[in-house]
Amino acid sequence: MKILLLGSGGREHAFAWKISQSELCETLFIAPGNAGTSQHGKNVAIGVNDFEAIEEFVLANSIELVVVGPEDPLVNGIYDYFMAKEELKNVPVIGPSKVGAQLEGSKAFAKQFMVRHGIPTAAYGEFTIENLEEGFDFIDEQTTPIVLKADGLAAGKGVLIINEHGEAKDSLREMIEESKFGKASAKVVIEEFLKGIEFSVFVLTDGENYKILPEAKDYKRIGEGDKGLNTGGMGCVSPVPFVDRLMMKKVEERVIIPTIEGLKKDNIVYKGFLYIGFMCVDGEPFVIEYNCRMGDPETEIVLPRIKNDLVELLVAVGNGTLKEEEIEIDERACATVIVASGGYPEDYDKGKEIFGLSSVNRLETIVFHAGTKQVGEKILTNGGRVLAVSSYGKDIHEAVAKSNAVIEKIDFEGKYYRKDIGYEFR
Ligand code: AMP
Ligand code: GLY
């Protein structure tokens, strides 16, 4: 079958790597892709939000399955776009409908959904210019720290955690009145602070049934010891030692089942991946966020731990027959370590030549490209997060050590990585 994958990060390289291993995959196209995805298929220069160009490409190339990597096209309604067109509506799009994608696209929508369906999450209030004064009163009633979240998509930057009431009020005003995060912060969710340890669970659903994929813990801060600025993620590990059978049972009963049932009750079409971010508070799981897609870099460890033919699973999602599939998980641990451009997540240079990629022993390590670009024979840096180096190991320690050893052989000007990924579990 001919498959089109949308996106251009490490997540999409991992998808391309996994999809291309399937016997069902005849041709894989990636739009727009990166220097890594082109090892597994053909990159095409189409942007993920250019629905008309995607439509034209799908029809011209008889594409039979579209896999959506990032959230943007989902929140912009690519699923609905396909469903509304006679010639496209039989091409399955792996990803939720526009309303379903609001679980990520609007924090207020997600909170209302959780409250409606009794899913454990932090207490909250939502505020706009209409009830800004109530927002200030609400802040006065909170203990510190205070969590402020821009309602809309803000490229992972829209969450502020503030230690002082006055400062929280100033930030609320800036978000709403001065559009601190553009339109995304015209509405703000103010939330109770949850103290605990985070982990993420991934679910694949055809809207009726679901499969739970391997869980992960990611490391968001730029610096070792979880210090410094937030990033898109500097590495992650799976399995997560404290997410034992009992925790997974709580997650499934209290969150996954009510979420899938809630989507059905609300008539929200959802056929794709759901990423649930949790805070474990004294042994109890609370939902911090939903994302309507897989995580990046979590995909770079979750897919390597899935033994199934991924295309078979995705076809089952499209057909509504996921119930018949059995997920097989690799017993080994997997860790990924991000190699970033110096300066990230603030300003950084692009276009630096990457050396040493061919010296990597690939037996138990996979070098996924995140921000790279091929120019002639050279591979150049083309983003803040450049590579995601994933390794298997008998445990997290071994997996991380293997990735770190491989990263030592790779070089480019300004190369930076955290050597302490998975430190609590090593
Ligand atoms: P989000 O964009 O919702 O994932 O939030 C970004 C990060 O902010 C999360 O990964 C958490 O580390 C932190 N965070 C979000 N909400 C809360 C909360 N209610 N309590 C504590 N930390 C939070
Ligand atoms: N690694 C966090 C995310 O994909 O949202």
Side-chain angles (χ1 to χ4, degrees):
M1 93 192 285
K2 298 191 177 75
I3 301 172
L4 174 64
L5 167 66
L6 300 182
S8 61
R11 167 180 50 215
E12 287 73 25
H13 186 179
F15 267 115
W17 167 82
K18 187 74 178 158
I19 288 172
S20 66
Q21 291 168 30
S22 168
E23 292 195 354
L24 297 173
C25 177
E26 181 191 329
T27 318
L28 172 65
F29 297 98
I30 309 96
N34 62 29
T37 59
S38 62
Q39 297 166 17
H40 309 287
K42 194 170 173 340
N43 287 353
V44 287
I46 297 175
V48 297
N49 291 305
D50 189 347
F51 295 175
E52 284 173 16
I54 292 169
E55 172 180 7
E56 211 174 292
F57 186 85
V58 164
L59 296 176
N61 293 280
S62 311
I63 298 295
E64 297 161 270
L65 179 71
V66 178
V67 183
V68 186
E71 62 278 16
D72 267 22
L74 293 166
V75 172
N76 291 339
I78 191 164
Y79 182 93
D80 306 57
Y81 185 93
F82 270 62
M83 285 307 285
K85 304 247 172 173
E86 204 49 47
E87 330 77 80
L88 291 179
K89 71 176 191 208
N90 293 321
V91 181
V93 173
I94 304 302
S97 63
K98 187 169 184 171
V99 185
Q102 287 296 298
L103 284 182
E104 174 165 3
S106 164
K107 305 260 187 211
F109 178 95
K111 294 300 276 189
Q112 290 163 17
F113 178 89
M114 287 186 263
V115 169
R116 191 159 62 242
H117 300 294
I119 295 165
T121 188
Y124 82 108
E126 55 177 271
F127 305 95
T128 62
I129 193 77
E130 307 295 329
N131 61 348
L132 185 56
E133 290 300 322
E134 286 172 37
F136 297 142
D137 296 342
F138 190 83
I139 287 174
D140 279 330
E141 292 159 16
Q142 305 298 308
T143 52
T144 55
I146 296 157
V147 183
L148 302 182
K149 298 185 174 184
D151 178 58
L153 292 183
K157 297 195 176 79
V159 176
L160 302 178
I161 298 181
I162 298 175
N163 278 315
E164 204 266 317
H165 288 88
E167 200 189 316
K169 287 183 199 173
D170 290 343
S171 291
L172 179 65
R173 191 191 305 280
E174 284 168 25
M175 288 169 92
I176 291 177
E177 282 190 343
E178 293 160 30
S179 310
K180 186 180 171 85
F181 300 104
K183 270 193 279 179
S185 64
K187 190 183 275 179
V188 173
V189 164
I190 306 181
E191 212 172 78
E192 167 199 11
F193 180 80
L194 298 175
K195 195 167 165 30
I197 175 159
E198 285 179 70
F199 65 98
S200 307
V201 172
F202 307 90
V203 177
L204 181 62
T205 179
D206 61 7
E208 223 21 78
N209 298 288
Y210 62 87
K211 298 289 166 187
I212 303 175
L213 309 178
E215 77 283 0
K217 177 170 193 309
D218 76 339
Y219 295 80
K220 287 203 175 79
R221 302 297 192 95
I222 188 70
E224 290 180 5
D226 293 327
K227 302 216 167 63
L229 293 174
N230 248 325
T231 71
M234 292 303 291
C236 51
V237 301
S238 178
V240 182
F242 65 85
V243 182
D244 54 13
R245 241 171 233 274
L246 176 63
M247 178 58 80
M248 260 310 190
K249 187 167 182 287
K250 291 178 184 175
V251 162
E252 184 168 13
E253 286 174 358
R254 298 178 194 174
V255 177
I256 297 176
I257 293 172
T259 299
I260 303 295
E261 291 304 316
L263 289 167
K264 278 197 259 181
K265 274 187 209 144
D266 294 350
N267 287 317
I268 297 173
V269 177
Y270 203 114
K271 288 166 171 266
F273 293 95
L274 176 66
Y275 164 148
I276 315 176
F278 285 95
M279 188 72 84
C280 171
V281 183
D282 299 327
E284 307 301 330
F286 287 80
V287 177
I288 292 265
E289 63 169 343
Y290 287 115
N291 292 316
C292 63
R293 50 167 175 89
M294 280 298 293
D296 193 357
E298 291 85 346
T299 307
E300 292 96 300
I301 56 172
V302 171
L303 294 184
R305 291 198 67 219
I306 296 175
K307 290 190 185 166
N308 303 62
D309 179 326
L310 182 64
V311 177
E312 193 180 311
L313 292 177
L314 300 180
V315 167
V317 167
N319 291 341
T321 55
L322 194 57
K323 194 177 182 174
E324 294 160 21
E325 304 291 327
E326 203 63 57
I327 299 281
E328 267 186 89
I329 310 276
D330 196 313
E331 287 301 314
R332 289 174 292 176
C334 192
T336 198
V337 179
I338 295 288
V339 189
S341 299
Y344 173 79
E346 295 184 289
D347 293 344
Y348 55 84
D349 289 335
K350 290 185 187 177
K352 304 292 181 195
E353 184 171 358
I354 307 171
F355 299 98
L357 285 171
S358 55
S359 65
V360 174
N361 169 2
R362 281 161 195 264
L363 214 50
E364 285 213 294
T365 296
I366 316 153
V367 178
F368 292 118
H369 291 223
T372 67
K373 185 165 95 172
Q374 180 138 15
V375 178
E377 292 296 296
K378 294 181 180 172
I379 308 240
L380 307 181
T381 66
N382 193 38
R385 293 190 293 174
V386 177
L387 303 168
V389 179
S390 298
S391 300
Y392 294 101
K394 65 176 187 309
D395 53 25
I396 288 167
H397 176 79
E398 192 182 271
V400 174
K402 279 187 202 163
S403 285
N404 287 354
V406 163
I407 292 170
E408 283 304 309
K409 294 189 203 153
I410 296 172
D411 201 24
F412 58 85
E413 197 185 314
K415 175 183 105 173
Y416 171 79
Y417 72 103
R418 270 182 69 168
K419 297 184 177 67
D420 70 336
I421 297 305
Y423 66 87
E424 318 95 301
F425 312 125
R426 289 160 71 185

